[in-house]
């Protein structure tokens, strides 16, 4: 992997703000924008900044207020329901040590209702299994210590089948591979202890083939334009694969293991 990948995100950011400046920006954004996703992003970034999370309880209460009677979570005031929001809520409140603000058993039961016959999970009960949704549901169960509710072999088979002939992973049957699934699918396999079910070397070659040889960023597929999204997921996938020189990443929290340990959050997945 080219060292220029480490320089690609800072160049895209085009900013020289330190950790405190970033935190100040996030605090201002949180007071203006009450969208759910902005909350999970800022909650995840604050621990990485080496600054203690300074989040008023009304922000935590807002996340908790989005939980519905059936245990699901709405993404905003318009009421869209999706297991992505269940994961986001649990991740946010786990980082802040505030899961007691929600009905965790009800949240778990909603996620279980989204479990499909093929072993995967969808965005709502009865929806098609998808690699991204599986990450959210398996992550939600890991965050609530309920991974025992999953059949790891059945789910692992579905996930391992996502590896294509070129080594990359796709999100659903008969779809093209995409570097982002090097995170969504691989992290799910890591959470259930089945990373060894895929061809590691083939996936590494695919991710590296998607790297821009000039700028260092990573694209969705070889020859496409690199972007921050796929650069992160490509690097995260390489980390889960034990690629030399990559810091370890937590497959549940999507944070560096060092940060998770500093927060005192216990490991919620088998040893990779």
């Amino acid at each position: 992997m080219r060292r220029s990948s480490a320089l690609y995100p800072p160049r895209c950011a085009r900013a020289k703000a330190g950790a405190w400046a970033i935190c100040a920006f996030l605090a201002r954004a949180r007071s203006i924008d009450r969208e759910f996703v902005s909350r999970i992003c800022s909650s995840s970034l604050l621990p990485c900044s080496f600054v203690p999370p300074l989040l008023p309880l009304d922000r935590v209460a807002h996340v908790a207020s989005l939980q519905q009677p059936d245990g699901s979570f709405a993404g905003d005031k318009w009421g869209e329901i999706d297991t992505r929001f269940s994961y986001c809520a649990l991740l946010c409140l786990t980082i802040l040590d505030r899961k007691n603000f929600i009905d965790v058993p009800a949240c778990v039961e909603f996620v279980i209702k989204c479990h499909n016959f093929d072993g995967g999970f969808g965005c709502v009960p009865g929806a098609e299994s998808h690699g991204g949704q599986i990450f959210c549901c398996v992550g939600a169960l890991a965050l609530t210590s309920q991974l025992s509710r999953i059949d790891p072999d059945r789910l692992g088979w579905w996930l391992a089948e996502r590896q294509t002939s070129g080594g990359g992973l796709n999100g659903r049957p008969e779809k093209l591979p995409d570097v982002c699934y090097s995170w969504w699918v691989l992290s799910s396999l890591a959470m259930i202890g089945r990373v060894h079910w895929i061809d590691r070397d083939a996936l590494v070659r695919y991710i590296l083939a998607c790297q821009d040889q000039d700028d260092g960023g990573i694209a969705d597929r070889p020859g496409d334009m690199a972007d921050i999204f796929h650069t992160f997921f490509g690097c995260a996938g390489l980390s889960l694969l034990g690629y030399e020189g990559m810091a370890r990443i937590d497959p549940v929290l999507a944070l560096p293991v060092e940060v998770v340990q500093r927060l005192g959050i216990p490991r919620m997945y088998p040893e990779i």
Side-chain angles (χ1 to χ4, degrees):
M1 186 175 187
R2 297 176 64 86
R3 294 182 61 187
S4 51
S5 280
L7 303 176
Y8 179 75
R11 284 203 301 271
C12 292
R14 298 185 185 280
K16 297 182 180 179
W20 283 107
I22 294 172
C23 289
F25 168 79
L26 291 171
R28 290 195 300 272
R30 291 169 60 78
S31 66
I32 298 171
D33 183 2
R34 299 187 66 85
E35 289 295 330
F36 194 19
V37 175
S38 70
R39 297 188 181 284
I40 184 58
C41 289
S42 49
S43 297
S44 294
L45 284 171
L46 282 169
C48 294
S49 68
F50 295 90
V51 179
L54 305 174
L55 305 177
L57 287 181
D58 69 312
R59 303 299 198 265
V60 174
H62 173 70
V63 173
S65 73
L66 295 171
Q67 188 169 27
Q68 306 302 300
D70 65 353
S72 65
F73 279 83
D76 50 37
K77 62 184 179 182
W78 289 280
E80 179 187 4
I81 303 299
D82 192 307
T83 46
R84 290 175 298 169
F85 306 136
S86 299
Y87 169 78
C88 286
L90 286 167
L91 176 58
C92 178
L93 298 178
T94 295
I95 291 173
L96 301 176
D97 194 22
R98 293 292 187 273
K99 281 190 293 189
N100 58 302
F101 275 65
I102 63 172
D103 186 340
V104 173
C107 179
V108 169
E109 291 310 313
F110 176 77
V111 170
I112 292 298
K113 289 178 182 176
C114 300
H115 196 195
N116 291 324
F117 72 92
D118 57 11
F121 291 84
C123 57
V124 293
E128 177 187 13
S129 294
H130 184 279
Q133 302 296 154
I134 289 174
F135 164 79
C136 291
C137 292
V138 176
L141 294 175
L143 290 166
T144 53
S145 302
Q146 295 294 315
L147 283 177
S148 60
R149 304 285 294 272
I150 298 174
D151 179 344
D153 288 342
R154 186 159 58 121
L155 175 57
W157 172 84
W158 193 95
L159 292 167
E161 285 289 306
R162 303 282 60 76
Q163 188 161 35
T164 65
S165 59
L169 302 171
N170 61 25
R172 290 177 292 166
E174 304 302 323
K175 296 295 184 179
L176 293 174
D178 188 314
V179 159
C180 70
Y181 294 110
S182 302
W183 170 256
W184 303 123
V185 171
L186 198 59
S187 58
S188 299
L189 285 167
M191 285 186 267
I192 60 173
R194 299 295 187 275
V195 169
H196 61 286
W197 281 18
I198 65 163
D199 186 333
R200 173 195 180 278
D201 293 340
L203 180 54
V204 168
R205 286 194 297 270
Y206 179 80
I207 296 172
L208 297 182
C210 296
Q211 185 176 18
D212 187 297
Q213 295 301 303
D214 296 320
D215 283 342
I218 298 175
D220 56 347
R221 299 182 187 92
D224 286 355
M225 182 72 69
D227 59 71
I228 286 288
F229 181 85
H230 291 91
T231 299
F232 168 77
F233 289 126
C235 290
L238 290 173
S239 172
L240 290 175
L241 292 168
Y243 189 79
E244 183 179 1
M246 303 297 294
R248 293 172 58 212
I249 191 169
D250 186 294
V252 181
L253 299 168
L255 289 172
V257 168
E258 181 274 328
V259 172
V260 175
Q261 292 173 341
R262 179 161 50 82
L263 290 172
I265 301 175
R267 196 180 74 206
M268 301 173 242
Y269 55 93
E271 187 66 47
I272 301 175

